[in-house]
Structures are given as C-alpha cells and as structure tokens.
Amino acid sequence: MALDAIFFIVSLFLLFPSPSVSDSTTQFCSAGGEYGVGSCGVSSTRILIKGGTVVNAHHQQLADVYVENGIIVAVQPNIKVGDEVTVLDATGKFVMPGGIDPHTHLAMEFMGTETIDDFFSGQAAALAGGTTMHIDFVIPVNGNLVAGFEAYENKSRESCMDYGFHMAITKWDEGVSKDMEILVKEKGINSFKFFLAYKGSLMVTDDLLLEGLKRCKSLGALAMVHAENGDAVFEGQKRMIELGITGPEGHALSRPPVLEGEATARAIRLARFVNTPLYVVHVMSVDAMDEIAKARKSGQKVIGEPVVSGLILDDHWLWDPDFTIASKYVMSPPIRPVGHGKALQDALSTGILQLVGTDHCTFNSTQKALGLDDFRKIPNGVNGLEERMHLIWDTMVGSGQISATDYVRITSTECARIFNIYPRKGAILAGSDADIIILNPNSSYEISSKSHHSRSDTNVYEGRRGKGKVEVTIAGGRIVWENEELKVVPGSGKYIEMPPFSYLFDGIEKSDANYLSSLRAPVKRVRTEAT
C-alpha cells in the first residue's frame, strides 16, 4: 500500500477513534458473544468481504473489501488475509456504502405527544434496512438552540449507529444568531431548518427567514425549508371543518400542492436574493419540483429532497373508511394524488432532485387516534427508516430508471457531500468509515408491521413485496445485521460533526463580487442650486 494511503488511514484512526462498546443487552441481542465482545454478538473488528461488485457513486468494480478497526483499509481484487479475519462471501451481490438518511425525527415531541421511535429503536430499524447513518432535526427548547442541542444529546445517548444533527429555527433575536455561530463552530452543525408551515408553533415569517438566510450564508451553513404556505394551510383547515370534513382526507384537502409550490417558489426567490444555497426538504408535489427545476436551470444552488412515501405512495389511502388505516398516512406535506410520485421519480432519475430521505416520524395507532374527530389533531408522520433502501432499489433500479451507481449516489454519497462528510461517509474507499451493506439483487422482501423493527404498530408500506434485499449491514466495522438477526449495542453510535462550507458554497464570494460590480451604483450626481 502506498505510504500516503497508510498515512491517511492512520490519520483517520487518530481523528476518529473507534467508539467504546457497551456490554448491555437489548431485545435485539442474542445470548453469547460470538466474537468475545460482550454478550451481544458484536462481530470481529477485522472483516474481509470477498467477490462482490463494489459500487460507489461514480464507479463499480469486482473487488474485495478489507476492514479493520472500523475503517476500510483496502479495496482491490484477491486480498489475502490471515485466519483471524471474518470472511463474508459477496459473490453475485453488490457491496455498497451504507445508506445515509438526511431527514428523520426520533424522540421528537410534537402535536401533544412524542414519536414512538427513539434513537435506539429507530436506528436499530435503520440498520436492519441498510441505513448506517441519519441526520435528525433538533427542535429548540422555547426557541433556545443550545438548550435544544443539549436535550437531543441526552436523547441520543442510547444510539447504536452514527448520526448527525440539523437545527430548527423557530424565532429570531440576537441570542439565536449567536447560538447559530456556537453550533456551527463548536458543535458540528452545518444546517438550519425553517418551517414555513405549522402556524402558531414552528412556523416562521418571511422577515425571520431572511434574517436566517443571511446568517446561514455568513456561517457557511445550509438553509433548509419545509415549504408550505402556513397561513393558507390554516385557512384551508378552517374551510374543511366548515364543510364538515373532519377525517384524514381533510388533511390532504386543506393543504393542496399549490400551497407547497407557492412556498417553495418563495423560499427559492428569497435565497436567490440573499445568494445562499437552499435545501428543500420532503418535496412531495410536481408543483414544488417544477420550482426547483426552474431554479437549478437558471444556475441557482437549490437541493431537492423527495422522501420515500412521496415517491412510492398516493393519497387514496386517506379516503379509507377505516380511521386507523387512513390516519397512518397523514404527514406534511401530504402524500399526493396519483401522478405526482412518478413525476418525482423521473426528476430524481434525471438529476432535478438529488437525494432521498424518509421524514421518518412515527406515531402508533393510539397516538394517531388523538385526531379521531378532527384531522388537525392527528400527529403528522410516517415510517421509512427501515424500508427506504429496499423500496428505492426495487422501484428505481429494478425498473431500470437508475443504475446501481445512481442508487449509491441518491441514498448515500450525495448526502455525505452536501453535509460535508464525504469521503469519510458515503464511499467504499481506503480510509473511509466501514459503513457497508451487502445487497442481493435476487433476494425478495415483504414489509410488515409484524416483522419490522420500529416500535410502531402500523406500517404505511404494509404488504409491499419487492426484489433487492440488504442481507448484511456493517456499521463502524461491526456486523450488525446478518441472517435476519440484529446485533446492536446501545451507546455504540457516534455523533458525527459536520463542518461548514460544503461544495455548495463554492463560487458564492465570486458571484457576490460580480453582483456588486454590476450595480453601476451609487451614481455620483452634481448638485445644482435652485435659481
């Protein structure tokens, strides 16, 4: 191995040491440590994956992958190892970076309750589905960002895989501005989310959004928006109630695609005015997608994130006569009518949209029943952390819409690039973290709430079958999913700090300079005294 490669790997070991492993057992652990690391069967720190097709975002090759102490050491054909190495045969299978979900809500207090999946159960479900890192949204405590961060530090102590944080902004003052700087420079947060919906709770006004966009730009942090017109949604909700429409269908009818399109367009134009990159979360409609397409065609730096539910499902379920069935599909923006999902798939396959999240925000049927007589009280959210990788492979790769390399890009690599953690994450390269999946394209799966690992008693993809199954998940160099068995340890996950000024900020200073030079102002005028 070249000396510079060895130096790079050793440097990574020093900068990012392997986490300590707890001896605690969980409902997912089997008795007896197969490799002698506690009682949870945590696997060897040295692993060789042989004979698979290694897929990165821009290249695939037949090669072996050797892992040691949580880091990928070598990717090349015919690697030879000693007897004390765990060997996994990947012949006929794809070896790919573990998925990175950019959009989750674990242990989130919302609408009078808290999401049923916490950082342990949600992450365990993710690992069973081939996702090895996620980025969760921190909600401030009474508007205080640092207090919110500290609260989520406590919530995530039982994490069993790597994770990062975005931060929501729900008010504006000098304290918020200063806290944003602390979070970027000291806490590893490089993105801030602004809700244009949820009037009376999380929603921000345009003047606050402008202040936030300016502050994000100065800090090199990415501004994110939940794009729905909150004032119009509030009016739509009143209209539905006046019409006597109180069931889950009223949720979709009260916030139609035009309101998502309007808010997306407004956020894009304000970001262009400030000249800062923008990330639009959970793009659910053609209306929003069209605005992103126009902006990107003009050269503006806008990222569009569809989520699995918007790509796969349609809104007919919201009209189901069984409230329990209908209510589990309530999320915001709503799942749209037939046609929107296929259009979003097309946009994803052609690069108009860049990566896939889940907006995993799960509530059980008892919690959803809080809105039995009023759709406005149904907690908003669906599952997806465990299902995303399988559904996207079957829907997008299995149908021929995208290639295996595209799949890696939209489920892992692009997220790592946007949030500035590539190639530590999102790649199978020497020196990268050993977050790896082995996917069998010929193996089938069936989704059921009876067998999934989320704590929810429902699943919006219930009964869905497909081909392309994650058979092995390796997280941090440990085999955590194999032979339909989870081997996870609470507290073994690491918080991943994400530095500011990702590639999206390249050229911003130059374009600002060009703008200033184009103004031809101020004009020097000669004052003449009136006669």
Side-chain angles (χ1 to χ4, degrees):
M1 184 184 299
L3 286 176
D4 56 346
I6 294 172
F7 177 77
F8 174 56
I9 295 168
V10 171
S11 298
L12 279 174
F13 287 150
L14 293 173
L15 286 170
F16 310 114
S18 297
S20 60
V21 179
S22 166
D23 288 332
S24 303
T25 59
T26 74
Q27 71 261 40
F28 299 117
C29 293
S30 58
E34 183 178 357
Y35 300 103
V37 186
S39 59
C40 284
V42 176
S43 61
S44 166
T45 58
R46 290 184 287 181
I47 302 168
L48 177 66
I49 305 170
K50 286 192 67 67
T53 300
V54 176
V55 186
N56 281 299
H58 303 293
H59 177 67
Q60 67 181 59
Q61 64 182 120
L62 283 172
D64 299 343
V65 180
Y66 178 59
V67 170
E68 189 167 323
N69 295 326
I71 301 294
I72 297 171
V73 176
V75 182
Q76 61 191 57
N78 303 314
I79 296 174
K80 306 299 182 185
V81 295
D83 294 335
E84 296 182 357
V85 175
T86 300
V87 178
L88 300 173
D89 184 5
T91 303
K93 302 172 185 179
F94 292 104
V95 180
M96 299 183 283
I100 307 174
D101 190 337
H103 190 153
T104 62
H105 299 280
L106 301 180
M108 178 189 179
E109 297 165 21
F110 185 53
M111 297 185 72
T113 186
E114 183 173 321
T115 54
I116 198 72
D117 278 324
D118 59 18
F119 275 78
F120 179 70
S121 68
Q123 290 179 353
L127 290 169
T131 288
T132 54
M133 180 178 170
H134 71 111
I135 311 177
D136 209 80
F137 287 91
V138 174
I139 305 300
V141 175
N142 297 321
N144 187 295
L145 308 191
V146 172
F149 181 84
E150 291 171 349
Y152 272 73
E153 280 187 311
N154 289 327
K155 290 181 180 188
S156 59
R157 291 193 187 281
E158 297 296 294
S159 290
C160 57
M161 76 179 196
D162 291 356
Y163 61 97
F165 286 143
H166 311 289
M167 174 62 71
I169 304 292
T170 57
K171 71 172 190 177
W172 190 260
D173 57 30
E174 277 305 307
V176 170
S177 180
K178 290 177 181 177
D179 281 354
M180 289 176 71
E181 183 172 6
I182 291 170
L183 292 172
V184 170
K185 294 184 177 180
E186 300 178 18
K187 304 297 185 181
I189 285 180
N190 67 1
S191 50
F192 295 91
K193 181 180 180 180
F194 302 86
F195 290 87
L196 306 187
Y198 301 119
K199 185 174 182 177
S201 58
L202 300 173
M203 178 178 155
V204 302
T205 54
D206 285 355
D207 57 336
L208 190 157
L209 177 59
L210 277 168
E211 293 296 333
L213 290 171
K214 291 188 295 182
R215 190 60 169 144
C216 283
K217 180 180 179 180
S218 70
L219 294 170
L222 182 58
M224 312 174 81
V225 289
H226 171 139
E228 291 181 284
N229 186 310
D231 289 318
V233 167
F234 185 75
E235 182 62 30
Q237 291 173 330
K238 289 196 299 182
R239 180 187 301 171
M240 292 303 112
I241 296 299
E242 289 169 358
L243 291 171
I245 302 171
T246 60
E249 70 278 11
H251 177 76
L253 294 170
S254 68
R255 46 207 317 148
V258 66
L259 302 187
E260 186 185 353
E262 185 279 330
T264 303
R266 178 161 38 98
I268 286 172
R269 284 159 176 75
L270 292 178
R272 184 170 63 194
F273 175 70
V274 174
N275 190 29
T276 196
L278 183 71
Y279 184 116
V280 183
V281 304
H282 48 41
V283 178
M284 298 292 285
S285 67
V286 171
D287 304 56
M289 180 267 290
D290 283 346
E291 297 295 339
I292 293 167
K294 286 188 292 185
R296 288 180 61 84
K297 187 175 181 180
S298 74
Q300 190 174 349
K301 294 181 178 181
V302 179
I303 299 295
E305 169 212 271
V307 292
V308 181
S309 53
L311 293 165
I312 303 292
L313 303 173
D314 65 70
D315 71 348
H316 82 274
W317 293 104
L318 292 164
W319 274 260
D320 195 282
D322 185 328
F323 176 86
T324 299
I325 292 174
S327 63
K328 72 179 179 180
Y329 293 92
V330 169
M331 64 172 293
S332 294
I335 297 166
R336 301 302 186 185
V338 173
H340 287 266
K342 185 58 174 69
L344 295 176
Q345 291 177 29
D346 292 343
L348 189 60
S349 66
T350 57
I352 294 170
L353 303 175
Q354 287 68 51
L355 74 169
V356 180
T358 61
D359 194 9
H360 183 95
C361 185
T362 50
F363 300 96
N364 64 23
S365 56
T366 300
Q367 292 171 303
K368 289 281 189 174
L370 292 171
L372 183 63
D373 299 315
D374 185 344
F375 68 83
R376 296 172 297 181
K377 298 178 181 178
I378 300 172
N380 290 194
V382 301
N383 60 287
L385 254 173
E386 186 169 355
E387 298 81 12
R388 178 181 73 127
M389 300 292 280
H390 292 131
L391 289 169
I392 295 302
W393 179 272
D394 186 50
T395 302
M396 300 295 291
V397 183
S399 65
Q401 295 183 77
I402 63 172
S403 66
T405 54
D406 290 331
Y407 173 80
V408 168
R409 175 177 53 81
I410 66 175
T411 61
S412 184
T413 305
E414 190 58 25
C415 183
R417 292 184 68 236
I418 289 168
F419 296 104
N420 220 11
I421 51 175
Y422 179 87
R424 178 183 179 183
K425 301 290 187 183
I428 297 187
L429 300 170
S432 297
D433 284 1
D435 297 336
I436 302 168
I437 61 172
I438 301 176
L439 185 145
N440 186 343
N442 298 312
S443 183
S444 299
Y445 65 85
E446 181 176 357
I447 296 171
S448 170
S449 59
K450 292 182 175 61
S451 59
H452 71 195
H453 296 84
S454 165
R455 287 180 177 151
S456 177
D457 59 349
T458 65
N459 192 307
V460 295
Y461 308 105
E462 187 72 39
R464 187 174 287 268
R465 300 177 180 180
K467 290 189 71 174
K469 181 172 175 56
V470 176
E471 294 186 338
V472 177
T473 303
I474 299 169
R478 303 184 306 276
I479 298 171
V480 294
W481 173 253
E482 187 182 22
N483 299 323
E484 301 292 316
E485 182 183 4
L486 265 172
K487 302 175 182 179
V488 291
V489 179
S492 60
K494 302 188 299 293
Y495 173 63
I496 304 299
E497 295 191 3
M498 301 180 290
F501 293 104
S502 74
Y503 81 93
L504 293 169
F505 285 84
D506 294 348
I508 292 290
E509 288 186 2
K510 180 65 175 176
S511 60
D512 279 345
N514 290 340
Y515 166 73
L516 292 173
S517 66
S518 72
L519 296 179
R520 299 183 294 115
V523 175
K524 294 182 179 179
R525 292 180 172 84
V526 177
R527 293 183 178 230
T528 57
E529 294 184 8
T531 57

